[in-house]
Amino acid sequence: MTAPAGALFNAGWYRFARRLDSPNFGPRPAGACIDLLVVHSISLPPGRYGGDEVQRLFTNTLNWDAHPYFQGIRGLEVSSHFYIRRDGTLWQFVSCDARAWHAGASQWRGRGNCNDDSIGIELEGLEGDAFEDAQYDTLASLSAALQQQYPVRHIAGHEHIAPGRKRDPGPGFDWPRLARSLGLADTALPS
Ligand SMILES: [Zn+2]
């Protein structure tokens, strides 16, 4: 099936993202209502920006012996739908129509297993660090596009859907700024 010319998405792939297929995904449950965006932060090793380690992690090609930190995550098979670099460059690893592996044990808006019916967006960053203007710009345009394509009604951080276990994107992320850029009330997002 071919998407119409100018379509934002083709089989769940966003036209303005660089595509790099991850093997880490599966089908969503039948009838899944994709109504949640989950914002994350990641950098490998933590706090070091600009390399290709995150892309390698999500495609199972990371050299686990390249850094001591990687020993602790050796063999990890994870993915997110999207990854936004510090310069705002956008990558996509899994079709939004498929289930990526970013949330783990999680619960939000009264439902568990958030991987089933959410879209995961990783920002290159570190919990506690601020994020770049270019990242907010890309996140806003991506979120607006996703809102057009999917019945998105909720946006939350990994820290909110897995409290006590996860802390990303952390206090350096400006939720009111994201809300303003999407025309949402601050109360539509976690604070
Ligand atoms: Zn996360």
Side-chain angles (χ1 to χ4, degrees):
M1 196 175 79
T2 307
L8 288 173
F9 292 86
N10 184 356
W13 294 92
Y14 184 45
R15 67 178 299 191
F16 297 118
R18 302 183 186 190
R19 176 171 173 171
L20 179 62
D21 286 58
S22 170
N24 304 328
F25 69 95
R28 293 188 186 274
C33 177
I34 304 168
D35 61 355
L36 171 66
L37 305 184
V38 179
V39 178
H40 302 256
S41 64
I42 189 171
S43 48
L44 291 174
R48 196 162 83 194
Y49 303 149
D52 65 354
E53 288 85 356
V54 173
Q55 293 98 308
R56 289 189 168 278
L57 177 68
F58 290 164
T59 52
N60 301 345
T61 57
L62 184 65
N63 175 8
W64 307 112
D65 297 318
H67 189 277
Y69 178 81
F70 302 161
Q71 299 297 323
I73 58 170
R74 180 184 286 271
L76 192 66
E77 293 186 346
V78 291
S79 62
S80 73
H81 295 93
F82 294 101
Y83 173 48
I84 302 175
R85 305 301 306 257
R86 302 295 292 184
D87 67 359
T89 308
L90 178 64
W91 292 76
Q92 185 174 1
F93 301 89
V94 174
S95 163
C96 295
D97 296 339
R99 183 181 184 277
W101 303 347
H102 58 96
S106 51
Q107 183 170 323
W108 195 247
R109 77 291 195 225
R111 307 210 296 272
N113 294 313
C114 293
N115 280 335
D116 284 350
D117 43 20
S118 72
I119 291 170
I121 304 171
E122 296 272 5
L123 305 176
E124 185 179 18
L126 184 70
E127 297 143 17
D129 252 11
F131 296 86
E132 301 288 344
D133 289 345
Q135 294 182 292
Y136 285 102
D137 291 346
T138 298
L139 178 60
S141 58
L142 171 63
S143 299
L146 289 168
Q147 286 177 312
Q148 287 188 39
Q149 187 74 12
Y150 300 93
V152 174
R153 292 184 56 236
H154 309 273
I155 305 178
H158 204 184
E159 61 192 295
H160 305 111
I161 68 169
R165 190 174 68 82
K166 291 293 179 179
R167 294 184 299 146
D168 62 304
F173 186 77
D174 189 342
W175 289 101
R177 179 173 179 170
L178 177 61
R180 280 196 305 275
S181 65
L182 294 176
L184 299 171
D186 284 3
T187 51
L189 299 176
S191 55

